[in-house]
Amino acid sequence: RKNLNLLSPDQIELAKLLLEMGQSHSFEHWPEPGVDDEEKKAFFDQVARLNSTYPGGLASYIKSARELLADSKTGKNPFDGFTPSVPTGESLTFGNDNFIEFEERGVKEAQYAAFVLVAGGLGERLGYNGIKVALPMETTSGTCFLQHYIESILALQEASCRLNEGGCQKDIPFVIMTSDDTHARTIDLLESNSYFGMKPTQVKLLKQEKVACLEDNDARLAVDPNNKYRIQTKPHGHGDVHSLLYSSGLLDTWRDAGLRWVLFFQDTNGLLFKGIPAALGVSAIKQYHVNSLAVPRKAKEAIGGIARLTHTDGRSMVINVEYNQLDPLLRATGYPDGDVNCETGFSPFPGNINQLILELGPYLEELKKTGGAIKEFVNPKYKDATKTSFKSSTRLECMMQDYPKTLPLSARVGFTVMDAWLAYAPVKNNPEDAAKVPKGNPYHSATSGEMAIYRANSLILRKVGVQVEDPVQQVFNGQEVEVWSRITWKPKWGCVFSEIKGKVSGSCSVSQQSTMVIKGRDIFLGDLSLDGALIVESVDDAEVKVGGSVQNKGWVLENVDYRDTSVPEEIRIRGFRIKKVEQLEKKFDEPGKFSL
Ligand code: UGB
């Protein structure tokens, strides 16, 4: 009360709100006026931020928290009344007629799309010290994830323009959701690399705020252990992306500009864009309001399972069941073995890779009702079985794939399954944990993420007629992986099957020990026999034919140990580095026609 004089009228209102919500403990320990007054005002600045950045404000946050904490205490099953079953979706096979048709439609639609990358997470499981989008996706070309994503969007934009006879509409917008943990470093990465070729105006960053931590079942806000004038905060999860997009006004702007699709994706999946055009085609042709990309899932793999949940009252929805909830849900509903593989060697539930394609119109209409609030959950770590106190403070969380939970039954919610080799290779686990992954399950490490790029590119080239030699097995950082020829290309060389096919002719072969880096759009491979390293770069106005026999000592993979701190972190987490022994390297930086 004595400190009230320090506060502005707005801050006094916030103080009243805290009192009404049973939060007097957050300032009752404050000293007399005159001591730390600036800190006291800063406390209310923080409270104002926590209040304004949460849909419905702090009162609503505390109210939801009390309900969810009570449910958690009584052990209420979030799926009460629901029975899971295996849903049917569109299942695609790379390179067949169906796939090509979806891709073609997807490319046409791309100019009506906006892309949203959620990159606010630090990736505790990976333990990397930098931001994950700055990590090299593969170390042959050294391209980082963010560069690859931007170049993929630009390649799609260009391809879409070429296909649409009416010409191009405009640049594809690209939004990155950051957090305090990643924001400054993401800006720095973009600015120091000239936005990787994208117009700076095409890119928008939206920063998510953390939410207040809760110290007990009454949802009393936790005072920061390092500063008694602050509430402790923690991340609220990737579900924040919906409210941020809504409150930014971008969805209205996009709708007014004639856009139709919003595509969400995560920070470290180097294969994703190989699946995007076909999946977007599925959305357009099947008129899905919500389309999730999925891959066959190994039981217990740390990716959610897509399930149809049918309620005893007749309601039914196709939704992601998060990996830690799938096993208990199955056990409780007539599957006594829980999350296990079926006769195919995979879980019967497709694995959610959190690539969502939402139709903009219905999405915006829904968000007008909800403000973008997503169904939340709480996951307190209790001290003991009485569930009366927590080991450490907790907070509410939300996930972007829970968006369909509030949709009406009439909403068209579907999913598209693709081969994991084509569309999913996340980098999430540190080397130590990856090495402990059960045999046959994917490692989801920097090692497997990089090897997956080479495998996918090799398999794609095989599909268009190139003889790519079989891989060899090698062990890096305790993980046994297939090592294919190290083949990489810029997205603009080929972002869909038909484009890539058009770049290859005659009889081409690539040996397993080879490296091929294609850094240009109009580079055509014809009767090429490669056994070594070949790096070709060209400007857009140059047309280059690459053929004949190329043989040299090439680039070799040398083992490194992840514990060897003399090696840069982004290299040692893969367990190998590339030694460039000998290569043929050609750069064509003038317009014209050339042969190599
Ligand atoms: N992220 C944010 O932007 N903000 C946050 O507050 C938290 C994360 P994780 P997770 O496809 O591989 C998801 O931690 O949550 C970003 C799905 O829930 O990598 O364990 C973060 O930067 C799961 O169903 O993944 O699991 C990153 O880009 C499954 O599909 C993204 O959110 C799995 O991903 C995901 O964060 C998967």
Side-chain angles (χ1 to χ4, degrees), residues 118 120-121 125 208 237-238 266-267 322-323 352 401 424 428:
V118 289
R125 278 192 275 157
Q208 65 176 145
H238 35 73
Q266 304 197 145
D267 50 17
E322 200 57 340
Y323 43 91
N352 164 47
Q401 66 270 34
Y424 188 56
K428 298 200 181 206

Side-chain angles (χ1 to χ4, degrees), residues 77 80 85 131 180 189 194 260 290 292 339 393 402 420 427 441 456 463 479-480 488 510 542 555 559-560 580:
N77 174 1
D80 212 13
S85 59
I131 51 169
D180 278 324
L189 181 63
S194 310
R260 294 184 200 142
V290 178
S292 313
D339 180 15
S393 68
D402 279 345
V427 176
N441 274 24
K463 193 85 190 165
Q479 303 154 55
E480 188 176 337
T488 71
V510 181
W555 292 2
N559 277 73
V560 292
K580 301 180 178 178

Side-chain angles (χ1 to χ4, degrees), residues 117-123 125 132 177-179 208 235-240 265-268 302-305 320-323 351-355 399-401 424 426 428 444:
L117 165 65
V118 289
L122 257 190
R125 278 192 275 157
K132 292 205 282 174
M177 180 172 83
T178 56
S179 66
Q208 65 176 145
H236 189 222
H238 35 73
D240 278 349
F265 64 108
Q266 304 197 145
D267 50 17
T268 60
I303 66 176
N320 171 68
V321 179
E322 200 57 340
Y323 43 91
N352 164 47
I353 64 170
N354 246 10
Q355 153 65 55
M399 301 190 292
M400 68 171 167
Q401 66 270 34
Y424 188 56
K428 298 200 181 206
H444 295 175

Side-chain angles (χ1 to χ4, degrees), residues 346-394:
F346 290 93
S347 155
F349 297 93
N352 164 47
I353 64 170
N354 246 10
Q355 153 65 55
L356 308 174
I357 304 179
L358 305 187
E359 190 186 338
L360 176 59
Y363 178 48
L364 183 53
E365 287 315 307
E366 175 67 11
L367 293 201
K368 278 185 185 158
K369 288 184 234 151
T370 63
I374 294 299
K375 223 171 167 337
E376 293 163 304
F377 60 96
V378 71
N379 191 13
K381 306 279 179 288
Y382 297 107
K383 270 195 184 139
D384 56 41
T386 63
K387 293 191 174 179
T388 43
S389 50
F390 307 159
K391 281 186 191 154
S392 57
S393 68
T394 188

